[in-house]
Amino acid sequence: MSQQATEQVHGHYIGGEWTTAGDERTFESHDPATGEVLATFRRGTESDVDAALEAADEAFEEWRSLSYIDRAEYLWDIYHELRDRHEELGEIVTKECGKEISEGKADVTEAWHMVEWAAGNARHPHGDVVPSEVAGKDAYMRRKPRGVVGCITPWNFPVAIPFWHMAIALVEGNTVVWKPAEQTPWCGQIIAEMFEDAGIPDGVFNMVQGYGDAGATITDDERVDTVLFTGSAEVGHEIADKVGGEPGKLAACEMGGKNGIVITEEADLDVAVHAAVMSSFKTTGQRCVSSERLIVHTDVYDEFKDRFVDVAEKVAVGDPLEDATFMGPAIEADHVEKIRRHNELAVEEGAEVLVDRFELADEEIPDGHDEGHWVGPFVYEIDYEPDLRCLNEECFGPHVALVEYDGDVDRALEIHNDTPYGLAGAIISEDYRQLNAFRDRAELGLAYANLPCIGAEVQLPFGGVKKSGNGYPSAREAIEAVTERTAWTMNN
Ligand code: NAD
């Protein structure tokens, strides 16, 4: 999409056609680093969603009748396009969601990793041969696609997460209606163009742009068999409660976290500082796996605090297109206000502020970027108490608590597990017994030892427990959400 294209209003991709039908409402995509308008999009209505679901429903029978390998061929085309356009797409991700440029490109890399996994998996077994109690009987577990899959995705991985959902759903034989996040419609437009270029049959893939109302129209419709949702716990639990109550419907929801890193008295502090800085400030703290709690043993607390604070004071906030930048802007003005409220809440609850760069100094804001949504690190220490909201509620920003503990790893785990969330976390220690205790007893889906708690590998399940997820992490386990199992018994 060129800059001249900002004059144009971009539409939805429904039944193999681009359409700007529906009402006249539009919305804009902005560069969060400059405030510049990038492009204008039609805002999806009930009638757009209805048309997309109709197209997906109609296309289902023919699509499911193709072989796995034929279905995967369309994804292989997209895999090559993602690779060929890596630089260009990485810059678009950075322009639209403000992640610094290496992260923008990594978003695209992760997308092709998932496409590669899903398309490659088409050549792997999709069921089980099971022994029968009766000689001469064959017994199998076979998988069938569920039907129409509604995909609802967040802004912070605008290329990777849609493919985490859609690549698997499509290869398994489902058709898809997808709503990209309202903050990143440009990435949505480009992904839809890729499906069009790959020649995917009409109606198999459909994309409706818009806000949460369009998302809710998708999730609530009876033609949708599975909802794949990634986003906030507020929205995800609302969807899971509504959809989960309907017979035959399933909602797989991956949500936020209040992730912690335990730094024990046996930690290598070089490793600890690196892990904490990466986990707390990459993507300006706006990852579901970002760490907002550093739980540090009293023996190493003061040294760790001094070193972490030193880096937090200096970490480079700036133009995300510049290689030297570590943190870009927050996604939008409303989100800056949300981060401000979390910072203020911590102070109300007794936090001792160690670093307050929430409002950047004028000289830190890059030239020509006055309209950007700038925030810097906010680091505080606080005495642990079980009901503190600042240690329980996800801020989704560069907002980090240091919590000192005394005692053994059981005490660290008690503090670590005392949050309603259970997505990601890490332990930093040279003692294998402490690592094993964390691996076995930390309440989370993604556990790291002597590493930052961010990062993903598509061949591992990616998802959370407790308030963070409802049991369908990505990849192999996500297949459960988009297929039904049939027990098939045959008399020979
Ligand atoms: P969000 O929940 O506000 O929005 C996510 C998507 O849901 C958007 O497309 C939005 O339009 C749509 N939506 C909003 N209301 C809806 C409704 N009532 N019905 C249906 N759809 C609706 O989240 P966000 O701000 O885009 O993303 C940030 C959140 O996502 C954070 O909480 C973060 O932790 C989480 N997240 C989780 C993961 C994970 O894998 N667990 C990954 C990335 C982000």
Side-chain angles (χ1 to χ4, degrees), residues 152-157 161 179-183 210-220 229-236 238-239 242 253-257 286-289 331-332 335 338 394 396 421 423 462-464 468:
I152 312 285
T153 53
W155 66 266
N156 69 334
F157 283 82
I161 290 178
K179 192 199 81 63
E182 56 270 31
Q183 297 88 346
Y211 285 71
D213 56 336
T217 311
I218 295 172
T219 59
D220 293 357
F229 170 85
T230 303
S232 63
E234 291 70 28
V235 176
E238 188 189 316
I239 292 173
K242 257 193 307 187
C253 299
E254 284 305 328
M255 296 161 284
Q286 300 167 110
R287 291 197 193 192
C288 55
V289 288
I331 183 66
E332 54 195 352
H335 195 54
K338 182 180 169 202
E394 182 190 44
F396 206 54
Y421 290 98
L423 185 54
F462 187 94
S468 296

Side-chain angles (χ1 to χ4, degrees), residues 48-66:
D48 298 316
V49 170
D50 181 61
L53 288 169
E54 197 62 34
D57 209 22
E58 268 177 32
F60 175 58
E61 282 306 325
E62 207 164 320
W63 179 245
R64 76 180 295 183
S65 70
L66 298 182

Side-chain angles (χ1 to χ4, degrees), residues 60-120:
F60 175 58
E61 282 306 325
E62 207 164 320
W63 179 245
R64 76 180 295 183
S65 70
L66 298 182
S67 74
Y68 277 86
I69 289 154
D70 285 345
R71 289 195 295 258
E73 283 301 327
Y74 296 99
L75 273 300
W76 283 121
D77 279 3
I78 291 176
Y79 166 83
H80 290 296
E81 195 171 349
L82 287 165
R83 293 200 73 140
D84 292 347
R85 296 175 62 191
H86 186 203
E87 296 277 319
E88 173 210 345
L89 296 178
E91 276 187 27
I92 291 172
V93 170
T94 289
K95 284 287 271 181
E96 196 170 41
C97 78
K99 297 204 251 199
E100 59 86 13
I101 186 65
S102 73
E103 294 188 57
K105 289 180 197 162
D107 199 37
V108 181
T109 308
E110 194 169 308
W112 86 56
H113 285 170
M114 181 44 86
V115 173
E116 180 182 43
W117 188 90

Side-chain angles (χ1 to χ4, degrees), residues 117-160:
W117 188 90
N121 195 48
R123 289 188 181 270
H124 284 243
H126 271 73
D128 294 319
V129 181
V130 180
S132 168
E133 290 166 0
V134 181
K137 244 165 92 178
D138 286 341
Y140 305 95
M141 186 280 280
R142 290 177 54 84
R143 286 190 184 277
K144 298 193 281 218
R146 285 179 56 85
V148 176
V149 174
C151 299
I152 312 285
T153 53
W155 66 266
N156 69 334
F157 283 82
V159 182

Side-chain angles (χ1 to χ4, degrees), residues 345-376:
L345 173 68
V347 173
E348 283 161 25
E349 291 191 309
E352 185 80 25
V353 178
L354 303 171
V355 179
D356 185 358
R357 293 176 65 200
F358 172 70
E359 291 196 15
L360 291 187
D362 286 350
E363 60 276 15
E364 289 184 283
I365 295 172
D367 286 347
H369 290 66
D370 294 345
E371 300 300 317
H373 309 307
W374 300 107
V375 292

